[in-house]
Each structure stands twice: as C-alpha cells, then as structure tokens.
Amino acid sequence: MNSYKTISDAPSSPFLRKITLLSSMGVMMDGYTLTVFSYALLYLINVMSLKSYEISIMGISSIGGVLIGSFISGYIADIYGRRFIYIYDLFIVSIFIFLTGLATNYINFSILELIVGFGIGADYPVSSSIQAEFSPTKSRGRFMFFNIFSFSIGSLIFLGIAVPLVLFTGVNAWRYMYMIGAIFPILVLYSRKKIPESPYWVQHKFGNEAGNAARVNFEKSTGYRISALPDISPGKTRLKDIFKGKYGKYIIFISMAWFSYDIVSYGIWTYSPLIFSTEITSYYADLYVVFTGMAESIPVVVGFLIAIYYVDRIGRRLLLIIGFLGSFLVLVIFFFVNEYAVVGLLMTFSAFGFVHFFHNVGPSPITYTYPVEIFPTRIRGTAMGFATSISRLGSILAVFSFPIIDSLYGLKTIIIYFAVFEFIGLALTLKYAPETRNKALT
C-alpha cells in the first residue's frame, strides 16, 4: 500500500473518480433544468397562453429555488455534515422535475420548479465541498472544473433528448422533456449513500480521534495509506465569519464576480432559443433551434477543455482574467459591428459563441471553484452557499431584464448591458482575486 502524508497529497483513484461523477450530478441537473425551460418555452407560450410577466415568473422559479436551497444547505452542511444533505437532495429534484411535466398553468409550473431549484441549490455547496475535500491539491482544480463542466453536459444531454421529442411528440414535447429529466438523479442516489463523510469536516467537528477514524475509512476506500491528518483551521461555524477580515474581501469578490457572470450567462442561455427562433422561418423551425443550441455548445466544450488543461498549470487567477477580458472585448466588438451592419442570426450566434468560449475558459469554472478553496472547512459550505445564492440574484435579474430591455431598446442595448457586467467581473478579479493553485485546504 502506497503511503502519503495527508489526504491532499494522495493521487487520483477510482474512488475519487466516483466522487467526481456523483458530485457532478446536481450541477448537471442545473444545466438540464435551465436548458429544458429555454426550449420548452417555445411550446409553453402557446399551450398556456402566457403573458410576458408569467414567462418571467416561470423563468426565475427554479433559479429562485437554487438561491434559497444553496444558502440554507451551505450552513447546514457546515453544522451537521456534508453527507447529511448529499444523500437526499437529488431525490427532491427527481420527484418534482417529473411533476413539472404534468403542470397545467404557470402557477403550478412555477411552484414545482421552485422546489426543483431548491434541491439543486442544496447540492451546490455540499457537492463542491465534498469534491474539494477529497481531491489532491495538485489536481484539485481539474476535478472541480469537471464538476461545473457537468452543467454543460446536462445541457447537451437535454439537446440530444430534445431531437426525437421535437420530431415525434408534437405539442407535448415539453412535458416529456421534463419527465425524462427525473431519471438522471435517481441513477446516483444509491451510490451516494456509500460515500463516507468528509474527513476534513469530521476532524473539524469532532477532533483528531474522530479524524483518525475518518482517515482509516479513506484508506479503505482508496487503498492509500495516510500518515497525518490535515491541518484544519480552528473555530466555530458562524455565518458572520465569512464577512470578517480577509474573508470579507474574498466573499465580496467571488459573490459579485459570480453575480456579474451569471447575468450575462443566464441571459444568453435562457433567451437565445427565442432570439434564434425569430430568425428562422420554417416548418422545422423548432428542430433547427435545437441544432443551433447544439452548435452553440461547441465553444462551451472547447473553453472548458482549455480551462481543465491549464488550471493546475497556470492557476485560477489568470484564467479568470482572460475569461472576463475576452468576453468583454467580444461584446464591445459586437456592439460596434451592430452600429454599421444589420446583425443577423449568424453574427448573433458567433458573438454569443465567443462569449460562451471565454466564459468557460474562466468565469464559469473558477467562480464555482474559488469559494471552496479560499474558505476554511468550518465555513466552506456556508461561503459556497452564500456565493451561489448571490450569483442567482444575477440570474434572476438577467431573466427579468433581458426581455424588457430587448422589447424597449433592442439587442444593441443588451450587448452593452452585458459588457458592463463583464467589466465589473474583470475589475473585481484584478483587484481582489487570490491564487489558490497548489494551496492545501484548511
């Protein structure tokens, strides 16, 4: 049996890869849920005779659930343990996303989606903390990035499912889109029960003796011998501590950078199918829009592959700067092109595609990774939950403001609106972002 100093020094193992897969499912369902609404909306507008404010309420319902669920569960995970929530949150998601497919009006649809979002939100701080606390320091970024990449995997899975549904199920396609989504969380529930509690949390909560017992469980799961416990930062779990000292600066940075990113990202993801559908006049318009969504995912995948390759080589901060700066420049260029030319489907698609690329080189994976790396075990879940909830305020603002700005002022104003928030994210990164590459968790 190979021997290593601490858990963070041990290399990758089949056990870690299992944790990575299981911990990615909640984020994957977030991507699935956001994408399914974007395309279901093409049917729901007519099926439920929706007014604009009803569309907005439906659009923010699952996001609002994520906001509430992440804030509450992050603190609970620090008090009662990661595993306490990890086992059950996806059960909620599975039940209520299935029931969403049976909704008959915007009110019961929104209530069901709110509960779906609550389950997804509960998973964000828990799964990210578990992933970070079981990952090796030298490759932790790569594993964390895969977690958030599963958001795009969820979108791609939905798009693959959507093609036959659009072709063969007609006006009820949106119902099956939601119902099929219930299958994926169920697939991992049993396996999650077998994952042990985080040794970091056990040691912090119950001391070195319990930490040693957790270390032994880790050794049995991985086949690696660990000679020492991790160096855990002392102290109690208190919400106010995420605002104290250096942590106050960090929580403002990561929450507002994530907020800024989500305004642009959710605005594009939620409404680009509607934008593209207005540009396509064909009997198969809905199918064309789905394929456009698939094509739009290509820069997402490429950006993530670049980020995963470089994150543990050049660090988090530089990638975040590149991501915000690149997105900002793309939107500014698109704004000025719009001044002198008619911006059609191809130009809009290209601009959004480049924004997706730069987002996934930096802001998308790093805003997810930073909270669990910056904050100590005693407030890691709390900080991640708080940052996630603030980011979803940005998502809600995007879902509400995008159609209003578009109807009043047009796409050109939306472009500069998005560019402002990219610049805010860039400025915060340049001033406050630390480098966490090769730094051990505490």
Side-chain angles (χ1 to χ4, degrees):
M1 183 183 289
N2 293 331
S3 180
Y4 301 92
K5 184 179 179 182
T6 67
I7 291 172
S8 62
D9 296 316
S12 176
S13 65
F15 173 71
L16 177 58
R17 289 190 284 274
K18 179 181 179 181
I19 285 178
T20 303
L21 179 62
L22 298 178
S23 297
S24 298
M25 186 56 67
V27 181
M28 192 203 87
M29 287 307 301
D30 195 10
Y32 186 98
T33 302
L34 175 65
T35 310
V36 72
F37 177 74
S38 300
Y39 290 87
L41 191 57
L42 302 176
Y43 299 93
L44 290 168
I45 287 175
N46 294 321
V47 170
M48 295 185 181
S49 301
L50 297 174
K51 300 179 176 64
S52 58
Y53 76 90
E54 294 171 341
I55 294 173
S56 295
I57 290 172
M58 293 167 75
I60 68 166
S61 56
S62 67
I63 301 171
V66 173
L67 187 157
I68 299 167
S70 59
F71 184 80
I72 293 173
S73 75
Y75 183 72
I76 292 175
D78 285 337
I79 297 292
Y80 297 105
R82 318 318 193 193
R83 194 171 177 271
F84 179 77
I85 297 171
Y86 191 65
I87 295 173
Y88 300 109
D89 53 19
L90 291 184
F91 185 66
I92 295 172
V93 175
S94 183
I95 290 174
F96 286 93
I97 197 170
F98 180 86
L99 292 176
T100 300
L102 303 176
T104 56
N105 56 58
Y106 89 95
I107 295 175
N108 54 43
F109 179 97
S110 299
I111 292 171
L112 292 166
E113 279 292 274
L114 179 73
I115 301 172
V116 170
F118 182 90
I120 292 172
D123 201 68
Y124 261 85
V126 175
S127 286
S128 59
S129 295
I130 285 177
Q131 181 68 67
E133 290 165 0
F134 277 105
S135 295
T137 299
K138 291 185 178 180
S139 57
R140 186 176 60 232
R142 195 161 67 244
F143 287 106
M144 295 299 299
F145 275 28
F146 181 83
N147 272 181
I148 195 63
F149 178 50
S150 61
F151 185 100
S152 299
I153 293 174
S155 297
L156 290 169
I157 288 173
F158 164 74
L159 291 170
I161 291 170
V163 172
L165 293 179
V166 169
L167 281 173
F168 301 116
T169 60
V171 72
N172 287 317
W174 73 271
R175 296 189 183 276
Y176 299 113
M177 291 174 182
Y178 279 101
M179 291 178 179
I180 291 173
I183 297 171
F184 303 109
I186 292 294
L187 296 176
V188 304
L189 287 175
Y190 178 74
S191 295
R192 278 192 170 194
K193 288 185 177 181
K194 296 184 176 182
I195 299 299
E197 183 58 89
S198 162
Y200 280 80
W201 183 83
V202 170
Q203 184 186 341
H204 166 259
K205 188 70 174 179
F206 300 110
N208 288 345
E209 185 175 346
N212 276 315
R215 175 177 57 81
V216 170
N217 287 335
F218 178 83
E219 291 176 337
K220 290 178 180 177
S221 299
T222 62
Y224 300 138
R225 188 182 301 281
I226 305 300
S227 60
L229 292 170
D231 184 17
I232 301 292
S233 175
K236 296 181 179 180
T237 297
R238 295 176 298 194
L239 176 61
K240 64 181 181 180
D241 284 358
I242 67 174
F243 304 103
K244 284 187 174 181
K246 64 179 180 180
Y247 296 129
K249 175 180 67 176
Y250 289 153
I251 198 66
I252 291 172
F253 150 63
I254 196 60
S255 297
M256 294 310 299
W258 200 348
F259 174 93
S260 299
Y261 157 71
D262 269 12
I263 284 180
V264 184
S265 180
Y266 272 72
I268 292 175
W269 274 114
T270 304
Y271 291 109
S272 59
L274 276 178
I275 293 173
F276 296 148
S277 68
T278 61
E279 299 284 344
I280 300 171
T281 55
S282 167
Y283 178 78
Y284 295 105
D286 292 343
L287 191 60
Y288 291 154
V289 171
V290 172
F291 281 117
T292 302
M294 290 181 175
E296 198 178 9
S297 298
I298 294 173
V300 172
V301 174
V302 174
F304 261 119
L305 291 176
I306 291 172
I308 289 171
Y309 180 81
Y310 281 109
V311 61
D312 292 312
R313 289 175 168 84
I314 66 174
R316 286 60 158 156
R317 189 174 187 273
L318 180 57
L319 286 176
L320 190 55
I321 291 170
I322 291 170
F324 273 127
L325 178 60
S327 301
F328 172 73
L329 292 176
V330 166
L331 290 167
V332 169
I333 292 170
F334 187 37
F335 175 81
F336 283 109
V337 168
N338 192 39
E339 283 283 294
Y340 302 105
V342 176
V343 177
L345 175 62
L346 182 60
M347 180 63 73
T348 305
F349 171 80
S350 299
F352 286 174
F354 277 112
V355 170
H356 286 320
F357 169 78
F358 282 110
H359 274 175
N360 291 286
V361 167
S364 178
I366 294 172
T367 49
Y368 173 85
T369 303
Y370 256 142
V372 293
E373 292 190 323
I374 293 172
F375 291 87
T377 300
R378 63 187 177 88
I379 52 173
R380 180 168 295 124
T382 303
M384 182 61 172
F386 181 84
T388 305
S389 65
I390 295 298
S391 76
R392 286 338 186 245
L393 289 176
S395 307
I396 292 171
L397 177 60
V399 172
F400 260 120
S401 63
F402 191 112
I404 294 171
I405 296 172
D406 186 38
S407 63
L408 293 177
Y409 306 108
L411 183 62
K412 175 183 168 183
T413 304
I414 289 175
I415 296 165
I416 205 66
Y417 173 71
F418 285 165
V420 168
F421 283 101
E422 298 286 3
F423 181 80
I424 291 172
L426 175 62
L428 288 166
T429 301
L430 290 170
K431 186 169 180 61
Y432 295 116
E435 181 52 69
T436 56
R437 180 170 67 101
N438 291 334
K439 290 189 176 181
L441 302 181
T442 60

mmCIF file of all heavy atoms in Angstrom, residues 13 36 66 99 214 313 326 332 343 349 414:
data_model
loop_
_atom_site.group_PDB
_atom_site.id
_atom_site.type_symbol
_atom_site.label_atom_id
_atom_site.label_comp_id
_atom_site.label_asym_id
_atom_site.label_seq_id
_atom_site.Cartn_x
_atom_site.Cartn_y
_atom_site.Cartn_z
ATOM 1 N N SER A 13 -7.728 8.309 -7.750
ATOM 2 C CA SER A 13 -8.058 6.904 -7.545
ATOM 3 C C SER A 13 -9.444 6.637 -8.115
ATOM 4 O O SER A 13 -10.206 7.580 -8.372
ATOM 5 C CB SER A 13 -8.045 6.571 -6.049
ATOM 6 O OG SER A 13 -9.074 7.283 -5.386
ATOM 7 N N VAL A 36 -33.827 23.002 -20.522
ATOM 8 C CA VAL A 36 -35.153 22.488 -20.861
ATOM 9 C C VAL A 36 -36.186 23.618 -20.842
ATOM 10 O O VAL A 36 -37.079 23.670 -21.695
ATOM 11 C CB VAL A 36 -35.570 21.331 -19.926
ATOM 12 C CG1 VAL A 36 -35.893 21.813 -18.537
ATOM 13 C CG2 VAL A 36 -36.782 20.585 -20.488
ATOM 14 N N VAL A 66 -32.847 27.600 -6.363
ATOM 15 C CA VAL A 66 -31.401 27.408 -6.175
ATOM 16 C C VAL A 66 -30.864 28.418 -5.169
ATOM 17 O O VAL A 66 -30.055 28.076 -4.292
ATOM 18 C CB VAL A 66 -30.643 27.541 -7.515
ATOM 19 C CG1 VAL A 66 -29.133 27.507 -7.292
ATOM 20 C CG2 VAL A 66 -31.049 26.422 -8.475
ATOM 21 N N LEU A 99 -42.944 15.935 -11.878
ATOM 22 C CA LEU A 99 -44.256 16.574 -11.699
ATOM 23 C C LEU A 99 -44.385 17.846 -12.524
ATOM 24 O O LEU A 99 -45.487 18.211 -12.943
ATOM 25 C CB LEU A 99 -44.478 16.881 -10.216
ATOM 26 C CG LEU A 99 -44.643 15.666 -9.293
ATOM 27 C CD1 LEU A 99 -44.757 16.112 -7.840
ATOM 28 C CD2 LEU A 99 -45.846 14.829 -9.695
ATOM 29 N N ALA A 214 -11.938 8.679 10.368
ATOM 30 C CA ALA A 214 -12.308 9.069 9.008
ATOM 31 C C ALA A 214 -11.157 8.828 8.038
ATOM 32 O O ALA A 214 -11.369 8.444 6.880
ATOM 33 C CB ALA A 214 -12.723 10.538 8.979
ATOM 34 N N ARG A 313 -1.889 24.244 -14.066
ATOM 35 C CA ARG A 313 -0.584 24.610 -14.610
ATOM 36 C C ARG A 313 -0.295 26.104 -14.430
ATOM 37 O O ARG A 313 0.804 26.477 -13.999
ATOM 38 C CB ARG A 313 -0.511 24.238 -16.097
ATOM 39 C CG ARG A 313 -0.446 22.729 -16.352
ATOM 40 C CD ARG A 313 -0.511 22.432 -17.850
ATOM 41 N NE ARG A 313 -0.166 21.041 -18.152
ATOM 42 C CZ ARG A 313 -1.027 20.036 -18.088
ATOM 43 N NH1 ARG A 313 -2.294 20.255 -17.741
ATOM 44 N NH2 ARG A 313 -0.633 18.807 -18.371
ATOM 45 N N GLY A 326 -11.798 38.605 -22.301
ATOM 46 C CA GLY A 326 -12.188 38.137 -23.629
ATOM 47 C C GLY A 326 -13.663 38.354 -23.901
ATOM 48 O O GLY A 326 -14.058 38.824 -24.978
ATOM 49 N N VAL A 332 -18.019 44.232 -26.838
ATOM 50 C CA VAL A 332 -17.755 45.588 -27.332
ATOM 51 C C VAL A 332 -17.638 45.587 -28.853
ATOM 52 O O VAL A 332 -18.206 46.450 -29.542
ATOM 53 C CB VAL A 332 -16.472 46.155 -26.688
ATOM 54 C CG1 VAL A 332 -16.046 47.442 -27.384
ATOM 55 C CG2 VAL A 332 -16.696 46.415 -25.201
ATOM 56 N N VAL A 343 -27.394 43.080 -37.939
ATOM 57 C CA VAL A 343 -26.915 41.907 -37.208
ATOM 58 C C VAL A 343 -27.940 40.788 -37.346
ATOM 59 O O VAL A 343 -29.011 40.832 -36.758
ATOM 60 C CB VAL A 343 -26.681 42.238 -35.719
ATOM 61 C CG1 VAL A 343 -26.243 40.996 -34.954
ATOM 62 C CG2 VAL A 343 -25.644 43.337 -35.593
ATOM 63 N N PHE A 349 -25.161 34.550 -33.383
ATOM 64 C CA PHE A 349 -24.698 33.237 -32.944
ATOM 65 C C PHE A 349 -23.190 33.245 -32.695
ATOM 66 O O PHE A 349 -22.706 32.703 -31.697
ATOM 67 C CB PHE A 349 -25.039 32.186 -34.001
ATOM 68 C CG PHE A 349 -24.421 30.848 -33.741
ATOM 69 C CD1 PHE A 349 -24.996 29.973 -32.830
ATOM 70 C CD2 PHE A 349 -23.260 30.462 -34.393
ATOM 71 C CE1 PHE A 349 -24.422 28.739 -32.570
ATOM 72 C CE2 PHE A 349 -22.675 29.240 -34.142
ATOM 73 C CZ PHE A 349 -23.264 28.371 -33.234
ATOM 74 N N ILE A 414 -28.823 45.468 -25.018
ATOM 75 C CA ILE A 414 -28.498 44.282 -24.220
ATOM 76 C C ILE A 414 -27.005 43.992 -24.286
ATOM 77 O O ILE A 414 -26.380 43.623 -23.286
ATOM 78 C CB ILE A 414 -29.298 43.063 -24.719
ATOM 79 C CG1 ILE A 414 -30.770 43.232 -24.356
ATOM 80 C CG2 ILE A 414 -28.755 41.759 -24.128
ATOM 81 C CD1 ILE A 414 -31.659 42.156 -24.902
#
